[in-house]
Amino acid sequence: MATTTAKSFQNYIGGEWVDAASGETFETKSPATGETLGVFPRSSADDVDKAVDAAKAAYEEWRLVPAPRRGEILFRFGRLLADQKDEVAQLMAREMGKVLPEAAGDVQEAIDMSFYMGGEGRRLFGQTTPSELKDKFNMSVRQPIGVVGVITPWNFPIAIPSWKIAPALVCGNTVVFKPATDTPLLGERFVELLAEAGVPPGVVNIVHGGGGAVGDRLVKHPDVPVITLTGSRETGVEVMRNAADNLKHIHLELGGKNAIIVLDDADLDLAVEGIVWSAFGTSGQRCTAASRVIAQDGIYEDLQARLVKAAEQLRLGPGWEDGVDVGPVINQSALDKIHSYTEIGKGEGAKLLTGGEVASGNGLSDGFFYRPTIFGDVDPGMRVAQEEIFGPTTALIRVRDADEAVRVSNGIEFGLSSSIFTRDVNTAFRAMRDLEAGITYINAGTIGAEVHLPFGGVKGTGNGHREAGQAALDVFTEWKSIYVDYSGKLQKAQIDTAS
Ligand code: UN1
């Protein structure tokens, strides 16, 4: 039954645009208006298998393409993305919902990552080191691994695919990419531009569809030795379990419950700006979002009043409209989850200071809009202070001093981002050392990671890997140690020690 005139899209496998084997489809809709933006193949294990076969075959040639040449394709991709930055940002405001300046920032992260990893094509450094024996040469080199399964979320629909696909490619791997079902249009555009940049057929393949069918098959497929996933903690644990029999390389980027600490000596104007940006930017749908604010006694009341005022001034609306600060959340189930936490917080005895409701009227009724929400008098153990909400909700917690603030900040299962506003250099350095997180900001909010530094977290945020920066190369390569003996005789390491 055709109820829409929206354009239909296909999977990209082995350089060909193809429908799902089942012929089934799903729609992508704007979270701001409900408008259907495109129709996509609902793929199954058969489609994944075809894509993996194509990627496996392409790997044999791609791994031998000199790394600087692979990097040049990423440079071309970065340039194409830069040429189309405004258009892709518009598409993102429509399909994912974030406001235009943030959408442009998302695209910019991908441009930066492509150039950074493009340059890596001329580095990919290994080590040379002396041998313990005469006339012998030792070195270590990075080697590609094979087919990488890339599973990405909807909240950074261009940036996060680039964090995974750009390093995977420059290292010489091939890719099967499953974008989130909430943002297939942006995933599709990403791959179209890669193909236009000159990525050979089969080197990057896209298979649309849900985690249950497509994601699960990728994770279990014996010919996919690497899986990189950004998603929820629950999904991450399931992926690790399902991949265990094949001993895959699993790179996981999971949740956060990030806190901003504000001490009595902080620049309060700056802290308020940092909190509003980190808590309500992208409607709080970042794994780095500030969903807790830990405030010292002396400034607690003042900070609370200022935050409530600032939150109430934020304008909600479709991301592409001028003057809009906060766009919709991604879908109905996100809206329901966010609102359920408002009920949970109230039930736990936290004080609802502002927000706490679905926003409607004034052009908002067809979308998934939620008022920026602040809870006060939150106890650090409450669920609103412990669990990832992934929406525009933050919890204010009162503490006596910096030591208590750091303890509260650390008292969660996650460890992604952290922040402290203070003018005391000694306190700042102690916090840099003691905050249990992969990222710490001093006098800035919890968001704003740059692509040339490692990105990731400790504890329940991941499994010890990092993406972005040099650290990403460890996910997408294996080390090989090479010993070259040019003595012409059999020298025995650890035995011929006296020469
Ligand atoms: C994420 O939310 O998964 O630092 C990534 C930031 C962004 C990336 C967020 N550059 O918030």
Side-chain angles (χ1 to χ4, degrees):
M1 186 177 64
T3 52
T4 169
T5 51
K7 191 173 166 200
S8 286
F9 295 88
Q10 294 173 299
N11 290 329
Y12 186 64
I13 297 178
E16 310 270 338
W17 294 98
V18 291
D19 291 325
S22 69
E24 287 179 29
T25 58
F26 68 97
E27 293 180 351
T28 180
K29 293 177 191 272
S30 171
T33 61
E35 178 200 358
T36 299
L37 301 173
V39 180
F40 283 84
R42 185 181 293 284
S43 313
S44 58
D46 287 348
D47 305 295
V48 175
D49 290 355
K50 282 186 200 133
V52 172
D53 287 348
K56 200 179 166 195
Y59 175 67
E60 289 312 321
E61 279 187 39
W62 181 246
R63 73 184 178 90
L64 301 178
V65 172
R69 299 280 95 81
R70 298 195 296 248
E72 279 162 20
I73 295 177
L74 292 177
F75 287 135
R76 279 202 291 281
F77 173 69
R79 278 202 300 273
L80 287 171
L81 210 47
D83 290 346
Q84 298 187 25
K85 184 172 167 181
D86 292 345
E87 194 202 319
V88 178
Q90 284 283 351
L91 202 61
M92 195 181 301
R94 277 171 174 76
E95 190 185 37
M96 182 274 162
K98 63 178 78 175
V99 296
L100 269 184
E102 289 185 32
D106 187 317
V107 180
Q108 187 60 46
E109 274 195 49
I111 297 167
D112 295 341
M113 184 58 91
S114 305
F115 289 149
Y116 178 80
M117 286 297 168
E120 202 50 53
R122 286 191 184 268
R123 290 187 295 269
L124 282 178
F125 295 138
Q127 298 108 27
T128 60
T129 183
S131 167
E132 63 190 46
L133 294 166
K134 271 189 188 160
D135 298 331
K136 191 178 172 196
F137 183 84
N138 292 351
M139 63 185 157
S140 63
V141 296
R142 289 188 181 275
Q143 296 226 300
I145 307 174
V147 180
V148 177
V150 171
I151 305 175
T152 57
W154 44 264
N155 68 331
F156 277 80
I158 294 289
I160 291 181
S162 81
W163 292 10
K164 299 176 185 306
I165 294 174
L169 292 181
V170 81
C171 290
N173 306 283
T174 56
V175 167
V176 178
F177 172 31
K178 187 205 99 58
T181 46
D182 283 304
T183 51
L185 202 48
L186 290 156
E188 202 267 349
R189 179 59 61 91
F190 189 93
V191 168
E192 244 178 60
L193 291 177
L194 275 172
E196 200 181 324
V199 169
V203 170
V204 174
N205 307 274
I206 188 167
V207 181
H208 293 283
V214 177
D216 194 59
R217 179 61 183 155
L218 263 181
V219 169
K220 291 182 180 156
H221 199 299
D223 293 332
V224 181
V226 187
I227 295 287
T228 169
L229 164 92
T230 298
S232 71
R233 189 179 188 285
E234 294 68 37
T235 310
V237 169
E238 197 186 325
V239 163
M240 270 192 110
R241 277 208 189 99
N242 287 339
D245 284 343
N246 287 307
L247 294 172
K248 296 192 181 197
H249 293 228
I250 301 296
H251 163 259
L252 301 174
E253 192 50 59
L254 310 173
K257 188 70 189 174
N258 318 290
I260 293 180
I261 296 172
V262 186
L263 297 182
D264 286 350
D265 69 348
D267 176 340
L268 270 202
D269 290 334
L270 187 63
V272 169
E273 260 190 81
I275 293 165
V276 169
W277 173 229
S278 303
F280 305 126
T282 326
S283 309
Q285 303 170 109
R286 296 192 186 213
C287 46
T288 50
S291 50
R292 296 182 298 157
V293 176
I294 301 171
Q296 198 172 357
D297 250 345
I299 48 85
Y300 183 94
E301 301 295 337
D302 192 7
L303 182 70
Q304 170 174 303
R306 293 191 200 203
L307 280 177
V308 168
K309 189 166 167 228
E312 288 175 352
Q313 279 167 359
L314 295 172
R315 212 186 118 202
L316 270 65
W320 57 88
E321 275 184 15
D322 277 348
V324 167
D325 302 298
V326 180
V329 299
I330 191 71
N331 55 32
Q332 184 68 48
S333 74
L335 197 64
D336 293 345
K337 179 180 171 191
I338 292 161
H339 189 62
S340 79
Y341 273 98
T342 296
E343 297 302 331
I344 289 168
K346 286 199 280 190
E348 289 176 307
K351 196 158 132 206
L352 181 63
L353 300 172
T354 186
E357 58 181 10
V358 173
S360 53
N362 290 328
L364 302 180
S365 301
D366 292 332
F368 307 114
F369 292 92
Y370 204 76
R371 294 240 175 262
T373 300
I374 304 178
F375 276 109
D377 294 336
V378 175
D379 182 274
M382 288 178 180
R383 287 183 64 191
V384 285
Q386 288 286 326
E387 296 172 19
E388 187 173 43
I389 301 172
F390 224 64
T393 302
T394 199
L396 265 164
I397 301 169
R398 187 194 294 260
V399 292
R400 282 180 309 278
D401 54 30
D403 287 345
E404 187 185 354
V406 169
R407 265 200 314 279
V408 169
S409 182
N410 290 345
I412 44 157
E413 68 171 326
F414 300 109
L416 181 54
S417 190
S418 56
S419 144
I420 186 165
F421 284 82
T422 177
R423 288 181 166 116
D424 185 316
V425 69
N426 297 351
T427 307
F429 267 87
R430 274 197 292 274
M432 285 184 241
R433 183 192 61 200
D434 295 337
L435 285 168
E436 294 169 2
I439 305 168
T440 294
Y441 291 92
I442 305 298
N443 293 326
T446 49
I447 65 179
E450 302 180 27
V451 304
H452 51 301
L453 272 80
F455 181 91
V458 302
K459 303 199 291 191
T461 293
N463 59 341
H465 293 288
R466 292 291 182 272
E467 54 195 337
Q470 292 288 296
L473 306 178
D474 291 332
V475 172
F476 300 107
T477 56
E478 291 270 22
W479 283 110
K480 175 179 273 189
S481 299
I482 299 175
Y483 302 95
V484 183
D485 192 315
Y486 56 97
S487 69
K489 53 186 190 243
L490 183 67
Q491 302 194 85
K492 295 177 183 150
Q494 297 100 38
I495 291 171
D496 292 340
T497 53
S499 56

